[in-house]
Amino acid sequence: MAVPPSTHPRRLLPLFLGVFQGALLLFFALFVTYDEASAQAEDTNLVANQVYSTFPFFQDIQVMLVVGLGLLLTFLPRYGFSALTHNFLLLSFSMQWALVLQGLLHHFHHGQIHLDLHKLLISEFAAVTVLISVGAILGRASPCQLLVMATCEIPIYLASEWVIVTCLGVLDVGGTITIHVFSCYFGLGASKALFRATQQPLHPKETPTLRSDLMSLVGTLILWVFWPSFVAVLCQPGDAQHRAILNTLLAMSASAITTVVASSLLERDGKLSPGHLQNGSLAGGVAIGVVADMSMPPVAALALGSLSAVVCVLGFRFLTPLLGRKLALHDQCGIHNLHGLPGILGAAASVVAVLVASKDTSGSHSSQLSPVGGNASEVVEGQWGGRGGGGQALCQAAGLAVAVGASLLAGLLTGAALRLPCLARPPERLCFDDSLYFKIQDEAESPGPDSSAEEGALALKEQV
């Protein structure tokens, strides 16, 4: 008996995930192991110190991504359950996929990949790019489309990060260029190709409510508290990590205050915009990442945090509507304002910081670990690895260009692939609704049984 066509897309998701998880089990059984326990006291103490120094940061980042970022995405009143669940699903999927790819590319020795906490951490950094990118198409894409997007983005990101950090030697301990800028323009490219030149009208379920904005603001507060751990976790322990924590806290406190000022001045009645608060307060953490561990005065961190908040708020107020009208560019979560613009600002600040540091006769320096490559790369002391301040500044600018160019091109190609009919993109009138993908128990906030079934079947048949 033939299966009705409307059931195929819903079976595609568990089939895709089931095959992926089954293949991963086989891969781990054949190729992945832990390091053998050492009886030497020095090795035991070294492992213990790494766990005790890294795992608290790792837990903070887990809270950021699972709880903080998940709640931040719940500003859509009828799509909160989907936003939280899909964010959690994409994190788990992308982390495992990145772990496999990085193991094969960087850590495959004598037929085995030796797993440790650091490799898991850098895989989670790779997964962050997916969580940011999907913000551009949140609510208008099916779970299958999001998983295909993650499958394509992770390997492209790993290649881009290798070029930027390993080949060009870009200093970016907090992932401002390699993570935030890359993921932003990858998401925008995918959005542009997915929706083509069609300007997306305001959807009736798209307008936030008081309750949804409040939940999103709680997510902002969680991200704000734990953000220094995200920036500092891969710094060299000691002075560099200490500087990174302090600079991040200063930048984010300045961005929070400046967001209130800018938002109030831009509104005619002086009231604050919840969207500005939810995003502008985090802009300082995005911008400071690239220079967080560099020797610079505290006022520089405050200034960078304030500027990033102004850029973010102005982007929401003026740039996003302009790009929507002129380029028909859809950016549901405003990732260009939170990750793209502050990321570019941070990259420019790193060029200035390198040039200023190269003239400092005291020999200011920066050390960092590669955020995703996993190799402990001692970068520079004094003269920026022999290139001089001008050479390193040029590398910083080149890294930004590679991140923007590679991510846009790859995003456009990925967005074109997302238009495949089998991926079951929901029709416009059924976007931003949890009942399309989940069994919702609250009948007061969801359609009745008959209409829900009818809309669900229609969603899987219609093409937009």
Side-chain angles (χ1 to χ4, degrees):
M1 181 176 179
V3 179
S6 62
T7 65
H8 284 301
R10 287 185 177 175
R11 290 185 177 182
L12 182 62
L13 178 62
L15 177 63
F16 183 92
L17 291 175
V19 170
F20 169 78
Q21 200 63 57
L24 195 76
L25 287 170
L26 181 61
F27 179 84
F28 267 61
L30 296 176
F31 302 112
V32 180
T33 185
Y34 295 116
D35 290 325
E36 294 182 3
S38 174
Q40 297 183 6
E42 294 181 359
D43 293 339
T44 302
N45 291 334
L46 179 62
V47 173
N49 290 335
Q50 289 177 343
V51 172
Y52 295 144
S53 63
T54 303
F55 191 63
F57 287 106
F58 183 82
Q59 285 184 304
D60 291 351
I61 296 171
Q62 288 283 86
V63 174
M64 282 181 64
L65 301 180
V66 176
V67 184
L69 183 57
L71 289 175
L72 181 66
L73 300 177
T74 60
F75 63 94
L76 298 168
R78 300 280 298 271
Y79 200 72
F81 198 85
S82 299
L84 275 169
T85 306
H86 294 160
N87 179 75
F88 183 42
L89 174 64
L90 286 171
L91 174 62
S92 302
F93 175 86
S94 302
M95 183 178 64
Q96 293 185 58
W97 179 224
L99 195 63
V100 169
L101 293 180
Q102 290 188 87
L104 292 174
L105 293 174
H106 300 293
H107 311 297
F108 194 74
H109 303 294
H110 307 294
Q112 293 289 322
I113 298 171
H114 293 271
L115 187 63
D116 59 28
L117 184 59
H118 184 262
K119 294 182 179 67
L120 197 64
L121 175 64
I122 57 179
S123 297
E124 193 148 283
F125 266 73
V128 173
T129 61
V130 176
L131 303 186
I132 295 173
S133 296
V134 298
I137 58 176
L138 185 73
R140 297 184 187 269
S142 69
C144 291
Q145 288 178 308
L146 300 181
L147 289 171
V148 170
M149 183 172 174
T151 304
C152 297
E153 183 171 3
I154 291 295
I156 298 168
Y157 167 70
L158 294 178
S160 170
E161 191 274 339
W162 179 79
V163 171
I164 293 172
V165 174
T166 304
C167 298
L168 296 177
V170 171
L171 306 178
D172 187 18
V173 70
T176 297
I177 299 173
T178 55
I179 294 177
H180 294 285
V181 172
F182 176 91
S183 58
C184 167
Y185 290 100
F186 185 95
L188 294 180
S191 175
K192 180 62 178 176
L194 178 60
F195 303 117
R196 293 185 178 176
T198 305
Q199 187 170 355
Q200 300 298 316
L202 184 65
H203 197 281
K205 301 175 186 176
E206 193 176 349
T207 304
T209 62
L210 177 62
R211 181 179 179 183
S212 65
D213 267 335
L214 180 60
M215 292 295 292
S216 183
L217 185 57
V218 171
T220 296
L221 298 180
I222 294 173
L223 288 167
W224 196 95
V225 169
F226 291 110
W227 203 289
S229 295
F230 182 85
V231 173
V233 63
L234 294 176
C235 292
Q236 292 284 10
D239 289 341
Q241 198 167 66
H242 187 214
R243 281 196 303 270
I245 293 173
L246 294 177
N247 285 332
T248 305
L249 286 170
L250 289 174
M252 297 196 70
S253 63
S255 66
I257 292 177
T258 306
T259 297
V260 174
V261 175
S263 179
S264 180
L265 291 177
L266 286 175
E267 298 296 330
R268 293 181 179 179
D269 53 5
K271 295 182 179 180
L272 303 179
S273 166
H276 295 167
L277 290 176
Q278 292 155 7
N279 294 275
S281 302
L282 304 174
V286 174
I288 197 65
V290 68
V291 295
D293 63 337
M294 296 183 184
S295 295
M296 60 182 186
V299 67
L302 287 171
L304 186 57
S306 296
L307 285 174
S308 62
V310 171
V311 167
C312 179
V313 173
L314 290 177
F316 273 103
R317 187 67 173 82
F318 301 107
L319 187 57
T320 295
L322 179 65
L323 293 177
R325 291 193 306 269
K326 300 297 184 181
L327 301 179
L329 185 62
H330 177 73
D331 183 8
Q332 185 63 49
C333 295
I335 61 174
H336 189 223
N337 306 315
L338 175 55
H339 302 278
L341 297 179
I344 293 174
L345 179 63
S350 73
V351 173
V352 175
V354 167
L355 291 175
V356 171
S358 67
K359 299 176 183 179
D360 186 357
T361 56
S362 64
S364 48
H365 66 276
S366 165
S367 349
Q368 70 180 76
L369 300 178
S370 167
V372 172
N375 302 320
S377 346
E378 291 251 349
V379 178
V380 298
E381 272 190 39
Q383 295 302 314
W384 314 104
R387 284 192 294 257
Q392 183 62 43
L394 186 60
C395 288
Q396 297 294 116
L400 176 63
V402 169
V404 174
S407 60
L408 268 177
L409 177 60
L412 288 169
L413 295 175
T414 301
L418 297 183
R419 296 184 62 86
L420 292 173
C422 64
L423 298 181
R425 175 184 158 196
E428 179 64 21
R429 70 184 188 87
L430 297 180
C431 292
F432 309 112
D433 199 327
D434 287 329
S435 63
L436 188 57
Y437 305 110
F438 296 93
K439 295 179 65 175
I440 305 299
Q441 301 300 324
D442 187 358
E443 296 182 357
E445 297 184 2
S446 62
D450 296 335
S451 61
S452 177
E454 181 182 352
E455 288 190 353
L458 184 60
L460 298 172
K461 292 179 179 177
E462 286 191 27
Q463 299 294 326
V464 175

